[in-house]
Amino acid sequence: MGFTTSRMRSIVGVLLVGAALTACGGEPESDRPAVSGTAAAVPRFAAPEEIARGIDVPWGLAFLPDGAALVAERDTGRVLRVAAGRAPEPVHQVSGVQARGEGGLLGLAVARDHAATGWVYAYFTGAEDNRIVRFRPGGPQEVIFAGIAKAGNHNGGRIAFGPDGLLYVGTGDAGRTERSPDPASPNGKILRLTPDGQPAPGNPTAGSPVYSRGHRNVQGLAWDRSGRLFAAEFGQNRLDEINLIEPGRDYGWPAVEGAGGADRGYTDPLVTWPTSAASPSGIAIAGDTLYVAALRGERLWAVPLSDGRLGDPEALLQDTYGRLRTVEVAADGALWLTTSNTDGRGDVRDGDDRILRFPVN
């Protein structure tokens, strides 16, 4: 069923100025997240503005210096320029995209020096593998990293530049669990690259792109104000995770799902959810809150963040917009959110898929 603009404003105004449609205390016991940390207040956002609608499986989203956003359409391979008050404008066609299953045009990142260089980076599924290219919109593309195994699922795909100016890449195991702990495989990892696609100086193993391993399917990357990296990871049948990422650590997949691996040398997650409540894709940090866009869970989780620890998550927007893929924070502090109901697994609502902007209240 579709939502009118007034109906959406009414719902979200209630949600984001102090109360969640479904907070943790109202969840069934099996759907309550397991957490470590302390509670804190959730930031206040105003009612949403619909920036765009009718987008074909929006996946990656990255901001340009002028405040507009670039959005990746997973199945078409198009990159759209999206801004308030304007119709989405196709600005680039990524060549070689093969959209099958969960694959296609996935993450986007805008170079830190974009104003000078014009570079935009994209992670996509091609004929032979998952790979990363860079391009100037409308121009030719350059492959900077290839050889990430592909599959119908577990392709990872999130890319982002960190505070250190290096490119971080979340990959999946592409359906073969033995890849995740294997230091020679780029799959089931978080990779750390130079802007040219080379292994970054200072990585745990010299000459290797691997920053952390033992991941099943990473689709969310975000840094807090102290420069700590957090990642969202899809579980298999039991538990999804938010992890604090530290170089050289092994996060346990496939030996362990969720917590319980510390006594075997693995790093435990900070928060876990039953897979029915999350399937976490994009994450973003605004102030002292980490936001998690949930696909199967069809909600936005808000998790208080304090000194690298996470408090009790709060569920927002549950059953309001359906599957949520990407959440990002703009330079002005507004929260941008994309739905993912046209990806073959959701119930399509009128206007899907859409991009929403929640300004700071």
Side-chain angles (χ1 to χ4, degrees):
M1 181 179 71
F3 289 86
T4 65
T5 300
S6 61
R7 175 63 172 156
M8 287 190 290
R9 289 184 179 275
S10 173
I11 293 172
V12 181
V14 170
L15 283 174
L16 295 184
V17 296
L21 187 63
T22 304
C24 293
E27 294 284 340
E29 186 67 33
S30 62
D31 279 357
R32 292 182 186 176
V35 300
S36 63
T38 57
V42 175
R44 297 163 64 93
F45 290 95
E49 172 189 7
E50 186 177 278
I51 299 294
R53 57 169 45 206
I55 309 298
D56 188 347
V57 195
W59 213 104
L61 186 153
F63 293 106
L64 294 166
D66 64 3
L70 296 179
V71 176
E73 287 190 321
R74 186 191 72 182
D75 291 354
T76 69
R78 295 193 308 174
V79 178
L80 309 177
R81 185 181 186 277
V82 177
R86 298 181 58 179
E89 175 190 2
V91 294
H92 190 80
Q93 180 73 45
V94 177
S95 62
V97 173
Q98 291 200 358
R100 296 174 182 168
E102 295 175 2
L105 178 57
L106 305 177
L108 291 179
V110 170
R112 288 296 188 88
D113 59 355
H114 177 84
T117 67
W119 286 124
V120 175
Y121 293 72
Y123 181 117
F124 72 90
T125 311
E128 303 296 333
D129 57 10
N130 289 298
R131 52 182 50 198
I132 302 167
V133 297
R134 66 179 179 181
F135 55 87
R136 296 177 178 92
Q141 62 192 40
E142 171 190 356
V143 178
I144 66 161
F145 194 91
I148 305 167
K150 72 168 192 173
N153 55 11
H154 305 183
N155 288 297
R158 194 70 61 180
I159 57 175
F161 281 97
D164 55 8
L166 297 169
L167 183 64
Y168 290 75
V169 181
T171 72
D173 66 13
R176 288 179 50 181
T177 60
E178 70 273 15
R179 292 174 171 140
S180 295
D182 180 1
S185 171
N187 286 82
K189 308 294 190 300
I190 293 175
L191 310 177
R192 182 171 175 259
L193 309 173
T194 68
D196 295 328
Q198 299 301 309
N203 278 358
T205 300
S208 169
V210 175
Y211 192 68
S212 64
R213 59 182 176 145
H215 300 289
R216 183 173 180 268
N217 191 21
V218 175
Q219 288 191 9
L221 300 170
W223 289 262
D224 69 7
R225 64 185 70 192
S226 297
R228 287 174 288 236
L229 173 61
F230 296 81
E233 182 167 338
F234 286 78
Q236 184 173 25
N237 299 315
R238 295 178 53 246
L239 298 171
D240 297 320
E241 304 176 359
I242 298 294
N243 288 292
L244 174 62
I245 303 300
E246 296 180 315
R249 295 288 185 90
D250 187 327
Y251 288 80
W253 180 253
V256 62
E257 182 179 359
D263 60 349
R264 289 174 278 168
Y266 303 119
T267 301
D268 282 346
L270 299 182
V271 173
T272 63
W273 289 271
T275 55
S276 61
S279 294
S281 187
I283 63 173
I285 295 173
D288 293 323
T289 301
L290 184 148
Y291 291 92
V292 182
L295 290 165
R296 184 180 172 192
E298 297 193 354
R299 67 198 81 176
L300 181 69
W301 286 103
V303 191
L305 173 63
S306 176
D307 195 28
R309 303 176 69 201
L310 297 179
D312 294 332
E314 189 174 14
L316 308 176
L317 305 176
Q318 186 171 350
D319 301 324
T320 305
Y321 297 112
R323 292 164 60 82
L324 304 180
R325 170 72 67 182
T326 295
V327 58
E328 294 286 355
V329 179
D332 63 2
L335 205 67
W336 287 50
L337 185 65
T338 76
T339 67
S340 192
N341 296 314
T342 60
D343 63 5
R345 296 185 176 180
D347 296 323
V348 179
R349 293 159 165 78
D350 181 38
D352 282 339
D353 268 323
R354 65 190 75 209
I355 300 171
L356 303 168
R357 176 182 179 270
F358 297 82
V360 177
N361 191 37

